Amino acid sequence: MTTRQRLLASAVTAVACLGTQTLAATAATAATAATAATAATAADTVVSRGVTIPAFCNPPATLPAADGTLVRSEPLPLALSLPGLSGTLPGSATRLMYKSTDSNGQPVAVTGAYIEPTAGWKGDGPRPLVAVAPGTMGQGDQCAASMGLEHLAVNNQTVSVGYEDLAIYRLLAKGVAVVVTDYAGLGATDRLHTYVNRVYEAHAVLDAVRAARSLDGTSVTAASPVGLFGYSQGGGATAAAAELQSSYAPDVTLSGIYAGAPPADLTSVTKAIDGSELAGALGWSLNGFLQSDPSLKPLAEAHLNAAGKTALADLSTMCVGDALFGYGYAKSTKWTTDGQSISDIIAATPVFQAFLDSQRIGTLKPSGPVRLATGVSDNLVPHAQARQLAADWCKKGVDVTYKAVVLPNVGSALLNHFAPLLTDQGDAISWLTAQLSGKRAASNCWSLPAQP
């Protein structure tokens, strides 16, 4: 039994950090903070829904002082690789653990991966580096994007597919070096993943760049242009990183930022995902909020019934596939003591609303040119709030390339959200690589009033 499992068993928490296959149905949230403060040791074996998490992912008791410092690294075998004339295609990968800072100013270990491309850089100047911020993967450690590069996590308890690999491989094919962050608590086994917390995610993205630049034996140099690429949760992460770069990572100059379908207004997004195919993301959000701000736990306890506590505990170790099967179309009114929706409770509770307001993206001016894409039929991460982010940035004088992806409403919120990811990805990568070559795109903020 791992350190964390012993804590879970003794405290019977409803907002579990990770790793156990069976969690108590009537859990109390009190143990989450204790779990977050206790890292698994190198000797611990952490198993999440039947998947053994590499011991590499157990953070040490003490982390380096500087953000972005490598804690450790090791070779990472890629699930999809082929021999080529100049080496293995699409490149060679390294698993990373690096130090970052959480939203409370405390040190946190983050895992991820760096991929050195076999292909030569096809643009002008030195080989660039792009930090890929993954979209929603889930909350169990087996869902981490770096693990998805290595293998599928599919058994009778979990389903996780590395759908971000497509964008990663397309960037590698253009000769772009890629670093992928797993975010805090997704992979690293010491805490629960703080899903859609803008500060946690922004710091993890920016520190991934620092960590990649410090790796030995790569073609990335101090002169390498840096870009950010993310869709959905990843779009929120890159948008937040662009806003926080000047204060948190002034040493990381951004040549271009792609933010696709960014969840900029969590009040709007929380309402939209409730009852959708991806209703499980509501549980991930709540779990993450409680991990980020333990003072919210008593309020959550007062509003969640036994079914709600069970759902949050169950979802804390699930990936996207698991949540689709287990909690698709779930309504939060079934999780609360009085039958109110989570959105109604948030709106009626100033502390909850203040927390969501603090996660708002669009109040700061991002550094670097941004391409913001949003599907006009997206009703999962609603189009209107993403478009509003573009408008907010344009008012601040930001160089924004706004792209409204016009696709029909197919009746499925999940498909309405993910279809633009695929249809816009090629153009997004072309735009980003052009910025990395020094070819600046003209802002189209002037056209925003005429665009959907």
Side-chain angles (χ1 to χ4, degrees), residues 88-356:
T88 303
L89 301 172
S92 58
T94 303
R95 196 193 312 272
L96 308 175
M97 179 182 285
Y98 57 92
K99 186 261 182 180
S100 189
T101 295
D102 69 18
S103 61
N104 298 311
Q106 297 301 307
V108 59
V110 180
T111 57
Y114 170 82
I115 307 99
E116 173 76 13
T118 303
W121 165 233
K122 296 174 173 54
D124 297 329
R127 187 193 297 278
L129 172 68
V130 167
V132 171
T136 298
M137 307 301 294
Q139 209 155 38
D141 284 332
Q142 77 279 12
C143 319
S146 64
M147 292 188 66
L149 284 165
E150 185 177 9
H151 54 67
L152 300 179
V154 178
N155 58 29
N156 61 355
Q157 300 176 59
T158 194
V159 178
S160 181
V161 177
Y163 62 86
E164 290 289 9
D165 294 0
L166 176 60
I168 292 168
Y169 278 45
R170 292 176 84 162
L171 286 164
L172 294 171
K174 290 182 175 290
V176 176
V178 174
V179 63
V180 186
T181 181
D182 291 331
Y183 306 123
L186 192 60
T189 57
D190 63 334
R191 68 182 65 203
L192 185 69
H193 172 43
T194 44
Y195 183 67
V196 296
N197 181 302
R198 71 180 182 91
V199 177
Y200 264 96
E201 293 180 343
H203 290 181
V205 169
L206 293 167
D207 286 327
V209 173
R210 288 165 157 162
R213 293 198 302 200
S214 70
L215 267 177
D216 292 332
T218 76
S219 57
V220 172
T221 71
S224 293
V226 175
L228 308 180
F229 186 97
Y231 188 90
S232 192
Q233 180 186 3
T238 58
E243 288 193 343
L244 295 181
Q245 176 274 332
S246 60
S247 60
Y248 181 76
D251 55 306
V252 179
T253 301
L254 300 176
S255 296
I257 302 102
Y258 170 66
D265 179 358
L266 293 188
T267 298
S268 174
V269 176
T270 298
K271 185 179 295 185
I273 61 179
D274 199 342
S276 73
E277 297 104 309
L278 200 57
L282 183 59
W284 296 328
S285 300
L286 291 173
N287 282 335
F289 298 161
L290 300 181
Q291 171 74 57
S292 302
D293 188 349
S295 70
L296 300 176
K297 292 172 187 175
L299 289 171
E301 278 288 297
H303 288 287
L304 290 172
N305 59 22
K309 294 172 184 177
T310 299
L312 264 62
D314 197 22
L315 283 159
S316 72
T317 58
M318 281 188 168
C319 301
V320 170
D322 318 345
L324 292 175
F325 292 127
Y327 290 92
Y329 302 105
K331 296 183 181 298
S332 68
T333 53
K334 302 296 184 182
W335 296 354
T336 59
T337 55
D338 57 7
Q340 289 191 87
S341 70
I342 296 296
S343 292
D344 287 340
I345 291 171
I346 289 170
T349 310
V351 174
F352 279 146
Q353 189 61 62
F355 180 84
L356 261 66

Side-chain angles (χ1 to χ4, degrees), residues 49-85:
R49 292 189 175 261
V51 178
T52 299
I53 308 303
F56 178 97
C57 297
N58 295 342
T62 303
L63 294 173
D67 290 320
T69 300
L70 274 174
V71 176
R72 60 176 72 116
S73 63
E74 68 177 14
L76 175 67
L78 293 173
L80 298 175
S81 60
L82 296 170
L85 294 177

Side-chain angles (χ1 to χ4, degrees), residues 377 406-411 416:
S377 297
V406 180
L407 294 172
N409 186 329
V410 297
N416 287 340

